[in-house]
Amino acid sequence: MSSTPLTDEVEMAPPETLTNEGLPMQVRRRWPVDAAAGLLFALAAALLTHRLWPGPAGRALALNPSDQALDEWFLAYATRAYRGDFSLVTGMLNAPEGVNLLSNASLIGMGLLLAPVTLAFGAPVTFSVLVAGNLAATGTGWYLLFARTLGVHRAGALIGGAFAAFAPGMVSQSNAHLHMTAAWLVPPIVWCVVRLAHQTAAGPRTVRTGLLLGALVAAQFFVGEEVLFLTAVTLALFTVVFVAHARPSPRVAAPFVLGLGLAAGLAAVLLAYPLWLQFHGPQSADGGVFLPSYFSADLYGFTAISPLSLAGDDGAARLVSGPAEYTTFFGAPLLLVVLGATVWMWRRPAVVASAVTAVVLFLLALGPFVVVDAEATAQRGPFSLLSGLPVIESALPTRFALAAIPLLAVILARVVDAAITQTETLRLLVPVAVVAALVPLAPAPLPVVDRAPVPAFFTDGFWRVYAPEDGVVVPVPLPDPRDPDAMRWAAATGARIATPQGWFIGPYGKDGAAAVGVYPRPTSQLLQRVARSGAAATVTDKDRQTLHKDIAYWRAAAFVLDVRHPQAGALRQTMDGLLGPGERVEDVWVWRAP
């Protein structure tokens, strides 16, 4: 997902006779093979997500439906850009204070790119496309980098690309962490770095490559900022180890530094305002929301098999914080194969640098204190040395292991290539050993659950009678981090209505520190108590006075209750006591706000 596999032996397309289209004959002949590889990755991703496809609007990923509801809202909000009404700080969620999109994993780049799909078919379909598409595109990108830029045999490239896309960590992050699986720009970023590393003199090619790298970095910022951060960390570590081992010619230093400088300069210009907005703009939040000690890898987890794999061990789930963080579950067989491959190819700087960098990332994934078999120890991990540093304080330690996935893919691709092209005795044995180590990690289809349909009141446009465009419609009960499902109602309208509260990150902790969600207003607390207890509230005049204050604060136009809500009777009785009898409209009850 985020590494820099520079190589000591880059093979470019051979200078063979060109076709009429200007492409080398050998490249032309390879395109069908490459296309077949891409199709294979797409098929694998479709099989992994096939349970979502019969009805995306009525199904959710069973292991993380809350993040899915948030993702779908972000995807719907991105369609506003096509109406010329899109802002990086918006009041359409958490009305009236709003949300800073850059303080959240808001899928801006993917939302804008696939807005036509969202407009045509709805956010749930776009979400399903991205769950599968991110993996397929990432695998294809790494395959092409291995095969075409690094000159790896197609079999090695296919294995490396498949592991980079479908490793247990990537599959677990596919449970609604689309910002983490959207790593398809990382192979082009690496391609630029490799290209710069093989320049012996600065020239127009260096300038073009450096500017392209800067543009890709800026694009990845909006696709998945955390992936960009991990890529940068891994790039720095890899380069140091590679240079120390390979001792490249000093001639490459000037063009390499020039290209990186141009990339950094362009990226700084393009991202200056977004970065200011993220860290200092309205609704920006200080610090991280999640404790590093909670999101730390267990030492036993590295040899465990993910519960989401075909040979998965459900008992291994206790070693991590949740099913979206099986990032270190590589399994003992694979680690042994990688170790053997590294020893065998220890003279290759790219392999050694990949292995050493992966080990450093594994150590960082252990977090502030080493955890063994779900028990914290007093032994400090390397991550503790970074605690308190800007940006690092918001990082989740387990995700450093995600950055090691492409590094291991480099080693797997290289060892298969070496066995096939350079030996006779190991030509079959090594690929078989690699595949045997990977088979237990093969992913099972992602589990899904049925979810309540969005009321026709929203999907069929009845809301327009009760609220203006961009008006505030209050779900009953209000969405919060424990139950954000009602955010899907606004998403179904293309984010044309605003919603109070919700599931997001904002400055609502002590002294403006980052927090998940906002402290609920009194009326919201009342409705939540009713929803949890199933007993209608005895409404008082004080409750009604408080409601009017909350209506003024939210600038609410209407309150809406889904008739299918498990506690619809008690909630309706409470709302009738607060605002008088509601109106039945299709599959909801509606109360106009005074």
Side-chain angles (χ1 to χ4, degrees):
M1 185 186 67
S2 46
S3 66
T4 51
L6 301 177
T7 180
D8 44 316
E9 49 212 10
V10 176
E11 295 182 11
M12 302 298 179
E16 302 189 60
T17 304
L18 298 182
T19 65
N20 293 335
E21 290 79 7
L23 293 175
M25 289 296 296
Q26 186 172 348
V27 173
R28 290 266 297 176
R29 288 195 296 268
R30 288 175 178 175
W31 267 113
V33 177
D34 295 343
L39 185 61
L40 186 61
F41 289 129
L43 178 61
L47 290 174
L48 183 68
T49 60
H50 79 272
R51 292 172 179 167
L52 280 173
W53 292 106
R59 297 193 174 192
L61 293 170
L63 302 179
N64 198 2
S66 295
D67 278 357
Q68 181 172 344
L70 177 62
D71 285 350
E72 290 177 1
W73 188 91
F74 283 136
L75 293 171
Y77 178 74
T79 63
R80 294 175 64 95
Y82 284 57
R83 305 198 301 269
D85 186 17
F86 178 87
S87 174
L88 294 175
V89 179
T90 176
M92 300 306 293
L93 184 62
N94 187 38
E97 289 115 317
V99 171
N100 187 320
L101 297 186
L102 294 173
S103 294
N104 292 264
S106 49
L107 314 182
I108 296 171
M110 289 177 279
L112 295 175
L113 183 64
L114 294 185
V117 177
T118 308
L119 289 169
F121 304 104
V125 172
T126 304
F127 176 86
S128 301
V129 168
L130 284 170
V131 175
N134 279 347
L135 299 180
T138 298
T140 302
W142 283 110
Y143 165 83
L144 291 174
L145 181 78
F146 292 148
R148 290 192 169 246
T149 299
L150 306 186
V152 173
H153 189 278
R154 261 30 184 196
L158 188 65
I159 289 173
F163 181 74
F166 297 99
M170 291 289 283
V171 173
S172 71
Q173 292 290 328
S174 293
N175 286 290
H177 288 179
L178 301 183
H179 62 294
M180 298 304 303
T181 61
W184 26 271
L185 285 180
V186 177
I189 288 174
V190 174
W191 178 84
C192 289
V193 174
V194 171
R195 191 178 174 92
L196 288 174
H198 285 82
Q199 300 294 304
T200 56
R205 186 176 178 182
T206 302
V207 173
R208 290 195 301 269
T209 305
L211 294 177
L212 175 60
L213 177 59
L216 289 171
V217 166
Q220 182 62 53
F221 176 87
F222 292 104
V223 171
E225 186 178 2
E226 193 168 350
V227 170
L228 179 61
F229 166 74
L230 292 173
T231 301
V233 171
T234 309
L235 171 60
L237 291 171
F238 183 98
T239 302
V240 169
V241 179
F242 184 88
V243 170
H245 188 278
R247 301 184 183 278
S249 169
R251 292 183 303 166
V252 305
F256 188 70
V257 172
L258 173 62
L260 292 184
L262 290 171
L266 178 60
V269 170
L270 296 175
L271 298 178
Y273 175 70
L275 286 170
W276 174 87
L277 194 65
Q278 177 179 355
F279 293 106
H280 302 289
Q283 296 302 106
S284 59
D286 294 330
V289 176
F290 307 108
L291 294 175
S293 58
Y294 184 70
F295 287 91
S296 295
D298 192 299
L299 195 60
Y300 279 15
F302 289 93
T303 59
I305 302 296
S306 168
L308 298 178
S309 297
L310 291 176
D313 175 13
D314 291 338
R318 65 186 178 82
L319 301 176
V320 293
S321 58
E325 301 298 336
Y326 299 152
T327 56
T328 62
F329 290 6
F330 295 107
L334 176 65
L335 295 181
L336 289 174
V337 165
V338 170
L339 177 61
T342 303
V343 171
W344 183 37
M345 297 187 294
W346 68 274
R347 292 181 180 275
R348 301 194 179 199
V351 172
V352 173
S354 294
V356 172
T357 305
V359 170
V360 174
L361 294 171
F362 287 166
L363 293 174
L364 289 173
L366 293 173
F369 292 90
V370 177
V371 178
V372 182
D373 198 20
E375 294 291 335
T377 70
Q379 178 62 50
R380 287 185 175 272
F383 187 86
S384 62
L385 303 175
L386 308 177
S387 298
L389 294 178
V391 180
I392 298 291
E393 64 182 355
S394 303
L396 303 185
T398 56
R399 295 187 182 173
F400 282 101
L402 285 175
I405 290 174
L407 295 169
L408 301 187
V410 170
I411 298 173
L412 295 176
R414 275 298 183 192
V415 75
V416 171
D417 173 76
I420 292 176
T421 61
Q422 299 176 24
T423 69
E424 285 293 336
T425 56
L426 301 179
R427 193 169 196 171
L428 183 61
L429 180 61
V430 169
V432 168
V434 170
V435 172
L438 292 176
V439 165
L441 304 180
L446 294 174
V448 303
V449 293
D450 292 332
R451 59 178 176 177
V454 174
F457 178 82
F458 297 100
T459 58
D460 294 347
F462 292 97
W463 61 270
R464 296 180 183 278
V465 178
Y466 298 88
E469 186 93 4
D470 297 344
V472 178
V473 173
V474 182
V476 178
L478 281 78
D480 66 13
R482 290 172 296 183
D483 183 17
D485 199 58
M487 290 168 53
R488 297 169 52 224
W489 299 358
T493 70
R496 286 181 167 88
I497 58 174
T499 304
Q501 295 187 191
W503 162 229
F504 56 90
I505 296 174
Y508 297 104
K510 185 178 180 181
D511 299 325
V516 176
V518 62
Y519 190 76
R521 303 284 296 182
T523 301
S524 176
Q525 296 180 47
L526 174 66
L527 295 174
Q528 286 290 354
R529 287 196 297 271
V530 174
R532 288 195 294 268
S533 67
T538 301
V539 178
T540 65
D541 288 339
K542 183 178 179 180
D543 292 328
R544 296 187 186 93
Q545 293 169 4
T546 299
L547 171 65
H548 283 271
K549 292 179 181 178
D550 290 344
I551 288 174
Y553 175 78
W554 290 322
R555 302 168 191 164
F559 291 74
V560 178
L561 168 65
D562 189 340
V563 299
R564 292 171 293 247
H565 192 284
Q567 309 300 341
L571 288 166
R572 177 191 171 194
Q573 185 177 339
T574 302
M575 287 301 301
D576 284 347
L578 290 168
L579 285 176
E583 304 173 54
R584 174 69 183 262
V585 182
E586 290 294 316
D587 44 5
V588 301
W589 289 96
V590 185
W591 293 265
R592 295 180 185 271

